[in-house]
Amino acid sequence: MNYSAQTVKDIGEQGVLKRVQRFCPANIVGDDGAIIEVDSGQSLVVTTDVLVEGVHFSDRTTSPEDVGWRAAAANLSDLAAMGASPVGITVGLSLPGDVTIEWIEDLYRGLSNCLNAHDTPILGGDICRSPTLSLAITALGQVLPHRTILRSAARPGDAIVVTGTHGGSRAGLELLLNPEIGQNLSPSQQKALIQTHQRPQPRLDVLPSLWRVLGEFPVAGMDSSDGLGDAIAQICRASGVGAEIEESAIPLPDGLERLVGSQKALEWALYGGEDFELVLCLKEDLAVMLVEELGGNAAIIGRIIAGSGAIANERNDPNSKRVISLEQGFQHF
Amino acid sequence: MNYSAQTVKDIGEQGVLKRVQRFCPANIVGDDGAIIEVDSGQSLVVTTDVLVEGVHFSDRTTSPEDVGWRAAAANLSDLAAMGASPVGITVGLSLPGDVTIEWIEDLYRGLSNCLNAHDTPILGGDICRSPTLSLAITALGQVLPHRTILRSAARPGDAIVVTGTHGGSRAGLELLLNPEIGQNLSPSQQKALIQTHQRPQPRLDVLPSLWRVLGEFPVAGMDSSDGLGDAIAQICRASGVGAEIEESAIPLPDGLERLVGSQKALEWALYGGEDFELVLCLKEDLAVMLVEELGGNAAIIGRIIAGSGAIANERNDPNSKRVISLEQGFQHF
C-alpha cells in the first residue's frame, strides 16, 4: 500500500498517536497526563479553541499545514493578548476514518512550525474517531500577576494602540477564493495578503517592548482575532468606557485599498477578523513610546473616553461619525 | 416558543456561551484566557480527552447529565492517576444546530455536579457549531514533584493494589442496553451496577491515604479507565517489568458473577474498562497498610516481577495461567 494513501482506518487511533508523538517532547509521552513546571510567582493562563472542518477551515483555502499553523497561532495569540508567555499546548484531534496519515502529519508539521518559533511544546492530547474532522487546542501560558492584560482595565484618556495592519487576513481569504480579483495588485502584494491569512503571526514579540515601556503602569487590551471593531467594542464593554477612533489612523496592508476600494478595505480592517494583532490601551505618552519602540509597526488609532460605545470618525469625512458595533458591518448615524 | 425546545440555532453560539457561563466562576469569564494560580513548588499536570457522540456516548444509554458527569470524572481520574489534585478544567463544546439548550444545560449540570464534589472550577472553553456533537476537556491539576505517580516506576517485588471493584461499569452498560438480563439480580444490585457506569467516581479520595502510607517511598501506577488488564500491561511495558496476577484476588462488584458467570465477570473486570479505579505498585508492607487504610475498599491482586508481560493465575484453576494483553480478551497458553 502507498504510504501517503494510508488512512486512520488503516492504522487506528493508537497508530496515529504513535506517528504524531514524535512532534511531542519525548519525556512527556506515556502517562495519563503531562507534567510541566510553572515558574515561581507566575500565574497560569489557559485558553481553549475548537476548530471544525467546514466551519473554521476548508480544504479549498487551507492546506493541513496551514490549518495547524493557524490553530497554533490563534491560541498563542490568545496568550499574547493576556500578556502571557506560552508554556505548551494540548491537541484533541477528532478524525474521520478516511483522513490520510499524510494529512495528519502535515497538520502536526504546521502546528510544530508555528510553536517551535515560540519554543512551545505539544504537551500531549487525545486522538479519537469522529464523523467530523476537528481540532480542540488548549494553550497554557504564564504571566507575572501584575502584567496580566485584561479587557476590563481601559480608562478614559488612554490611547488605543494597534500592532501591525488590519484587514489583510480577510483579503487573503478572498484572493484564495477568487484569485481573479487580484489583477490590480503586484504578485508580491497578493502573496503578502495570502500569507497574512495562511500564516498569521501571534504577537508575542510585542510583549518585551510593552514591558519596557510600561514599567509599573497598567495596560488593557485583547487581540483582534474576531476583528478590530470587535476588540474595541469588547474592551469598551468590559471596562465600562467609550472609545473614539480615527478611521484614517488604522494601518491597512499594502494594496488593500487598491484591491477593494477604501470603504470595503476599512470594513475588512474593522470586521474582517483573524489578523491576530494586539489592541492595547495605555497612557498616551507611553503609547507614543510603544509605537516608537515597535519601529512604527504599530499605530495610535484613537482614545478611550468616558461613556459607552465606540464611535469612529470616518476616513473620508472626519466630520461624519459611525458606531463600531459587535455586529458585522457599519451602523451610520 | 417553548423554552425547553430552544436550540443552538435559535440563540447562536454566543447565546449558548452566556447560558453556560453561570457554571463558571464569575471572576474568570470574559478575557481571552482564564488566569489561575498554581501553588508554589507544585508541578502542573495537564490531560486532554475528547468525547464524541456515537463513539463515546449515545443518547440511548446516557442522559446529557451523565455525559457531563462521566466526562468530568474521566478527566479527574486521569489527574488522580498522576497523584495530582485538580485545579480546573476547560470545555470545548462542538454542537449541531438542533441540540436543545436544555440538553446543553443538563450537560453542564452533570459536569458541575461531579466537579463541585472535588472543588474544581470550569475555567472556560469554547463553543462552536459542528455537524457532530463532541466534548473536548482539558483538566489541570497540581502535584508535589516527588509525589507524581508514573507508569514507569514499578519495580520487581512491588505489590499491585487496586482500589474498588472491577467490571461494574461494563455490567451497568449491559444492563442499560438489555435490562432483561438483570432478572437474577436484586433491584439494588442492578441499580448499583448502573450507577457505576453512569456516575463513576474519580478516586481522588485515595490520595491522602496513599501519601500517609508512603512517606517518602515511591509508587507507580495509573487508572483503570481502559480496563484493569490494560493498566497492568501498560505499567509493565513502561517500567520494563512483568506482573503476576491472582485472578481470584480481583474484587468484583456485588452480583456480577451471578449476572454473567465467573468467566465473563473476570473478562469484564480485566477488559471492560471505565471503572476509573487506581492501579498502584508499591512495597508489599506499604501495600498492606494502604488496603487497611482504605478500609478494605482495595485489594492486593498480585506482584511485579522481573521480566516482561503480565501473567494471570486463573481464578478457577490457579495452576492454569494466561497472558493479560493490551488487546481485548484472553490469550490462553
Side-chain angles (χ1 to χ4, degrees), chain A residues 30-37 43-50 55 78 82 90 126 132 136 138 148 151 222-223, chain B residues 30-37 43-50 78 81-82 90 126 129 132 136 138 148 151 222-223:
Chain A
D31 270 283
D32 292 276
I35 299 159
I36 50 179
E37 305 305 325
S43 298
L44 188 72
V45 175
V46 52
T47 172
T48 292
D49 256 332
V50 183
V55 179
D78 278 334
M82 306 280 292
T90 65
D126 192 16
T132 304
T138 295
T148 312
R151 298 178 186 182
M222 61 180 287
D223 72 354
Chain B
D31 270 283
D32 292 277
I35 300 159
I36 51 180
E37 305 305 325
S43 298
L44 189 71
V45 175
V46 52
T47 171
T48 293
D49 255 333
V50 182
D78 278 334
M82 305 280 293
T90 66
D126 193 13
R129 199 75 74 89
T132 304
T138 295
T148 312
R151 301 179 186 183
M222 62 180 287
D223 73 353

Side-chain angles (χ1 to χ4, degrees), chain B residues 19 34 47 65 74 101 125 128 130 134 149 190 234 241 249 305 312 326:
Chain B
R19 289 283 176 85
T47 171
E65 222 171 313
I101 306 310
C128 69
S130 167
S134 84
I149 305 175
Q190 292 184 44
Q234 296 276 10
V241 297
I305 56 177
L326 288 171

Side-chain angles (χ1 to χ4, degrees), chain B:
Chain B
M1 171 176 270
N2 179 342
Y3 160 73
S4 68
Q6 268 196 322
T7 66
V8 177
K9 222 179 306 180
D10 297 324
I11 69 171
E13 286 84 40
Q14 288 303 313
V16 175
L17 203 57
K18 275 200 194 105
R19 289 283 176 85
V20 302
Q21 274 175 351
R22 63 192 168 87
F23 294 98
C24 305
N27 60 326
I28 56 164
V29 168
D31 270 283
D32 292 277
I35 300 159
I36 51 180
E37 305 305 325
V38 174
D39 292 345
S40 162
Q42 305 239 5
S43 298
L44 189 71
V45 175
V46 52
T47 171
T48 293
D49 255 333
V50 182
L51 298 170
V52 178
E53 190 188 15
V55 180
H56 300 96
F57 61 90
S58 98
D59 272 344
R60 198 166 150 217
T61 53
T62 321
S63 71
E65 222 171 313
D66 289 339
V67 171
W69 178 288
R70 285 167 54 80
N75 278 277
L76 294 185
S77 180
D78 278 334
L79 295 180
M82 305 280 293
S85 308
V87 170
I89 72 164
T90 66
V91 181
L93 191 56
S94 303
L95 294 170
D98 61 356
V99 174
T100 65
I101 306 310
E102 192 184 17
W103 194 97
I104 298 167
E105 291 189 330
D106 283 349
L107 174 81
Y108 271 81
R109 196 164 295 118
L111 279 169
S112 289
N113 287 344
C114 179
L115 293 171
N116 289 344
H118 302 281
D119 288 328
T120 307
I122 298 176
L123 299 170
D126 193 13
I127 290 176
C128 69
R129 199 75 74 89
S130 167
T132 304
L133 180 57
S134 84
L135 197 62
I137 293 188
T138 295
L140 303 174
Q142 58 182 6
V143 61
L144 288 169
H146 71 281
R147 284 184 170 166
T148 312
I149 305 175
L150 299 178
R151 301 179 186 183
S152 57
R155 296 293 168 258
D158 282 351
I160 302 170
V161 174
V162 295
T163 62
T165 62
H166 296 262
S169 178
R170 181 70 183 76
L173 174 62
E174 203 69 25
L175 283 168
L176 286 164
L177 291 169
N178 306 301
E180 70 283 3
I181 68 162
Q183 57 195 12
N184 284 339
L185 301 186
S186 70
S188 75
Q189 282 174 324
Q190 292 184 44
K191 204 177 149 195
L193 290 170
I194 288 172
Q195 186 81 354
T196 302
H197 179 72
Q198 288 178 330
R199 297 292 168 110
Q201 302 288 341
R203 299 308 304 268
L204 290 159
D205 61 304
V206 169
L207 298 181
S209 302
L210 182 61
W211 307 144
R212 264 196 301 278
V213 164
L214 276 182
E216 298 301 309
F217 285 102
V219 61
M222 62 180 287
D223 73 353
S224 67
S225 53
D226 292 327
L228 175 57
D230 172 83
I232 295 166
Q234 296 276 10
I235 290 167
C236 286
R237 189 157 67 173
S239 297
V241 297
E244 192 171 7
I245 306 297
E246 298 300 327
E247 286 185 356
S248 58
I250 298 173
L252 303 177
D254 188 34
L256 180 58
E257 289 188 276
R258 194 158 165 200
L259 182 69
V260 291
S262 67
Q263 184 67 9
K264 189 117 203 156
L266 198 65
E267 199 173 319
W268 285 359
L270 282 168
Y271 302 108
E274 305 209 325
D275 290 309
F276 299 111
E277 295 292 342
L278 297 183
V279 183
L280 301 167
C281 306
L282 62 171
K283 273 165 57 76
E284 178 116 33
D285 53 339
L286 301 177
V288 172
M289 285 166 64
L290 179 61
V291 171
E292 203 168 294
E293 178 92 15
L294 293 173
N297 181 19
I300 296 175
I301 63 161
R303 58 189 46 73
I304 298 296
I305 56 177
S308 65
I311 304 300
N313 297 316
E314 285 195 30
R315 193 178 189 85
N316 302 322
D317 175 8
N319 292 323
S320 185
K321 296 178 190 300
R322 47 189 168 192
V323 174
I324 294 175
S325 78
L326 288 171
E327 314 299 324
Q328 168 93 22
F330 289 121
Q331 289 175 268
H332 289 265
F333 73 104

Side-chain angles (χ1 to χ4, degrees), chain A residues 76-238:
Chain A
L76 294 184
S77 180
D78 278 334
L79 295 180
M82 306 280 292
S85 308
V87 171
I89 73 163
T90 65
V91 181
L93 192 55
S94 303
L95 294 170
D98 62 355
V99 174
T100 65
I101 306 311
E102 192 184 19
W103 194 97
I104 298 167
E105 290 188 330
D106 284 349
L107 174 80
Y108 270 79
R109 196 165 295 117
L111 277 169
S112 290
N113 287 345
C114 179
L115 293 169
N116 290 345
H118 302 281
D119 288 327
T120 307
I122 297 176
L123 299 171
D126 192 16
I127 289 175
C128 69
R129 197 76 72 89
S130 167
T132 304
L133 180 57
S134 84
L135 198 60
I137 293 189
T138 295
L140 303 173
Q142 58 183 6
V143 61
L144 288 169
H146 71 281
R147 284 183 169 166
T148 312
I149 305 175
L150 299 178
R151 298 178 186 182
S152 56
R155 297 292 169 261
D158 282 353
I160 303 171
V161 173
V162 296
T163 62
T165 63
H166 296 262
S169 179
R170 182 70 183 76
L173 175 62
E174 204 69 25
L175 283 167
L176 286 164
L177 291 169
N178 306 300
E180 70 281 3
I181 68 163
Q183 57 195 12
N184 284 338
L185 301 187
S186 71
S188 75
Q189 283 174 323
Q190 292 184 44
K191 202 176 152 194
L193 290 171
I194 288 172
Q195 186 82 353
T196 302
H197 179 73
Q198 288 178 331
R199 297 290 168 111
Q201 301 288 341
R203 298 310 302 268
L204 291 158
D205 62 305
V206 169
L207 298 181
S209 301
L210 182 61
W211 307 145
R212 264 197 300 279
V213 164
L214 275 183
E216 297 301 309
F217 285 102
V219 61
M222 61 180 287
D223 72 354
S224 68
S225 52
D226 291 327
L228 175 56
D230 173 82
I232 294 166
Q234 297 276 9
I235 290 169
C236 286
R237 190 157 69 174

